[in-house]
Amino acid sequence: MEIKDLKPGRSYFITVFIRDSRHATISSYDTIQVTVPGERKERSIPLLMEGNLNHLEIPAGRGNSLSYLFQSKGQTAKRALLTVFSCSGYIRISVWRGKKLLKRSEAFTSFRRFAILNGNGKLRIEIVNDENRPSPVRIWIGKGNGDSPYASLPEDTSVRVIRRGCDWADIQWFRSSDPNDEYCVYERKETSNLLDQVVGKMENDCSNDIPHLSPLSSLIGCYSHKGNTSEDTIGILQTTVTGLPIDSTVRLDIVVRPSNRSIAQSLPYRTLWVRTDSSC
């Protein structure tokens, strides 16, 4: 027997009856439940456009993911640069061409660059949440560092205090090889317990809490090297921060961004705390 015209995605209860016409009795077999499969809908995967900065949020829950497609062609077929900025929390990245895995990262937070070599064709980029809360992410793909909205960070992003006084401090840090990268130093007024700020609170580096947008921060100055100075040769920037409170611990944030990009984005470079001298 064939039963037609059943609607997809619904359950039906079917009972077969037997009628004895001689004795006018009716009996039945056991009732069975039949569920008709629903119509399978292909989930469309959004496209990543070369050179566009994409803002997205991975749903809460470890293992939840978002996927994007990128059609590599021309120069990006030989070498494409993928930049991923996890604003808050840990994520993982996988890059596939068909069923072949081209690249897979460990869990990371903050900013990472990935070079994709010989990625000709359609690439699927999967971003996996490694947290139990939503993870905001910014993603960009293009030809190389010269087109990226982010600055080129040096290998060593350490900052050190070389001298300090009652209300001032000399700080020094390494710069990248790109003369167009600009480093801005901000003084931050702390409003919470220091231990909570450093350990207990995961800040969102894509929100208004980043220094150049926060009302709690004041700009000290922005610095870059475009001349042929001795500091430029050895790749070090140095400045004197003045007007600091005496016998206090002050938070300084350094943010870097390229000055020659139309969609330039800021990156946290380093945060340090400076203790001013009390013997004044």
Side-chain angles (χ1 to χ4, degrees), residues 35-54:
T35 301
V36 181
E39 296 179 353
R40 186 175 181 180
K41 296 182 179 179
E42 294 291 335
R43 188 182 66 172
S44 61
I45 301 179
L47 291 175
L48 281 179
M49 304 302 295
E50 180 181 337
N52 285 0
L53 184 64
N54 296 269

Side-chain angles (χ1 to χ4, degrees), residues 39-46 59 63-69 124-127:
E39 296 179 353
R40 186 175 181 180
K41 296 182 179 179
E42 294 291 335
R43 188 182 66 172
S44 61
I45 301 179
N64 284 336
S65 65
L66 293 176
S67 291
Y68 286 82
L69 292 177
R124 181 171 62 87
I125 300 168
E126 184 182 32
I127 312 165

Side-chain angles (χ1 to χ4, degrees), residues 4-73:
K4 299 181 179 181
D5 299 328
L6 301 181
K7 295 183 178 181
R10 290 192 177 184
S11 295
Y12 294 86
F13 295 90
I14 299 175
T15 305
V16 177
F17 294 90
I18 301 175
R19 181 175 180 274
D20 188 339
S21 59
R22 177 182 296 180
H23 299 94
T25 58
I26 297 176
S27 58
S28 64
Y29 287 89
D30 290 339
T31 300
I32 62 171
Q33 181 179 356
V34 175
T35 301
V36 181
E39 296 179 353
R40 186 175 181 180
K41 296 182 179 179
E42 294 291 335
R43 188 182 66 172
S44 61
I45 301 179
L47 291 175
L48 281 179
M49 304 302 295
E50 180 181 337
N52 285 0
L53 184 64
N54 296 269
H55 303 246
L56 55 106
E57 185 173 85
I58 311 174
R62 185 167 297 175
N64 284 336
S65 65
L66 293 176
S67 291
Y68 286 82
L69 292 177
F70 175 71
Q71 181 65 52
S72 61
K73 55 186 178 180

Side-chain angles (χ1 to χ4, degrees), residues 30-133:
D30 290 339
T31 300
I32 62 171
Q33 181 179 356
V34 175
T35 301
V36 181
E39 296 179 353
R40 186 175 181 180
K41 296 182 179 179
E42 294 291 335
R43 188 182 66 172
S44 61
I45 301 179
L47 291 175
L48 281 179
M49 304 302 295
E50 180 181 337
N52 285 0
L53 184 64
N54 296 269
H55 303 246
L56 55 106
E57 185 173 85
I58 311 174
R62 185 167 297 175
N64 284 336
S65 65
L66 293 176
S67 291
Y68 286 82
L69 292 177
F70 175 71
Q71 181 65 52
S72 61
K73 55 186 178 180
Q75 293 186 20
T76 57
K78 299 178 182 178
R79 184 184 188 278
L81 179 68
L82 173 67
T83 67
V84 182
F85 188 9
S86 176
C87 306
S88 174
Y90 285 83
I91 61 172
R92 289 176 282 116
I93 295 290
S94 297
V95 181
W96 302 80
R97 183 177 60 208
K99 295 183 179 180
K100 182 179 180 181
L101 178 64
L102 300 181
K103 191 171 291 289
R104 172 175 287 165
S105 77
E106 75 283 2
F108 69 92
T109 188
S110 192
F111 183 73
R112 285 287 182 90
R113 285 185 172 92
F114 302 93
I116 305 171
L117 304 178
N118 299 320
N120 187 35
K122 187 174 289 186
L123 305 178
R124 181 171 62 87
I125 300 168
E126 184 182 32
I127 312 165
V128 182
N129 196 350
D130 214 45
E131 300 276 355
N132 290 321
R133 58 183 176 184

Side-chain angles (χ1 to χ4, degrees), residues 42-263:
E42 294 291 335
R43 188 182 66 172
S44 61
I45 301 179
L47 291 175
L48 281 179
M49 304 302 295
E50 180 181 337
N52 285 0
L53 184 64
N54 296 269
H55 303 246
L56 55 106
E57 185 173 85
I58 311 174
R62 185 167 297 175
N64 284 336
S65 65
L66 293 176
S67 291
Y68 286 82
L69 292 177
F70 175 71
Q71 181 65 52
S72 61
K73 55 186 178 180
Q75 293 186 20
T76 57
K78 299 178 182 178
R79 184 184 188 278
L81 179 68
L82 173 67
T83 67
V84 182
F85 188 9
S86 176
C87 306
S88 174
Y90 285 83
I91 61 172
R92 289 176 282 116
I93 295 290
S94 297
V95 181
W96 302 80
R97 183 177 60 208
K99 295 183 179 180
K100 182 179 180 181
L101 178 64
L102 300 181
K103 191 171 291 289
R104 172 175 287 165
S105 77
E106 75 283 2
F108 69 92
T109 188
S110 192
F111 183 73
R112 285 287 182 90
R113 285 185 172 92
F114 302 93
I116 305 171
L117 304 178
N118 299 320
N120 187 35
K122 187 174 289 186
L123 305 178
R124 181 171 62 87
I125 300 168
E126 184 182 32
I127 312 165
V128 182
N129 196 350
D130 214 45
E131 300 276 355
N132 290 321
R133 58 183 176 184
S135 291
V137 176
R138 290 179 179 176
I139 184 171
W140 178 94
I141 190 167
K143 298 184 184 70
N145 281 331
D147 303 311
S148 168
Y150 296 103
S152 301
L153 297 178
E155 291 185 7
D156 186 352
T157 58
S158 60
V159 182
R160 64 179 184 142
V161 179
I162 56 175
R163 286 182 297 273
R164 64 188 177 95
C166 295
D167 60 352
W168 61 272
D170 284 343
I171 61 173
Q172 191 178 78
W173 67 94
F174 291 102
R175 67 167 188 85
S176 71
S177 58
D178 191 338
N180 294 302
D181 290 345
E182 186 176 61
Y183 301 80
C184 295
V185 181
Y186 294 82
E187 179 186 349
R188 174 74 172 258
K189 297 178 181 178
E190 292 292 355
T191 57
S192 61
N193 179 273
L194 182 60
L195 183 62
D196 291 339
Q197 184 73 29
V198 178
V199 179
K201 179 184 175 184
M202 178 73 76
E203 294 186 349
N204 183 345
D205 288 329
C206 297
S207 72
N208 288 342
D209 200 40
I210 56 179
H212 69 290
L213 295 177
S214 173
L216 300 176
S217 298
S218 56
L219 176 65
I220 294 173
C222 294
Y223 312 91
S224 64
H225 265 278
K226 297 185 180 181
N228 295 319
T229 65
S230 58
E231 290 88 350
D232 185 59
T233 303
I234 61 177
I236 291 178
L237 292 177
Q238 179 177 321
T239 189
T240 300
V241 181
T242 59
L244 301 178
I246 299 174
D247 191 20
S248 299
T249 300
V250 179
R251 171 175 167 171
L252 299 178
D253 294 297
I254 300 179
V255 175
V256 57
R257 63 184 289 140
S259 60
N260 61 339
R261 315 277 167 80
S262 59
I263 53 171

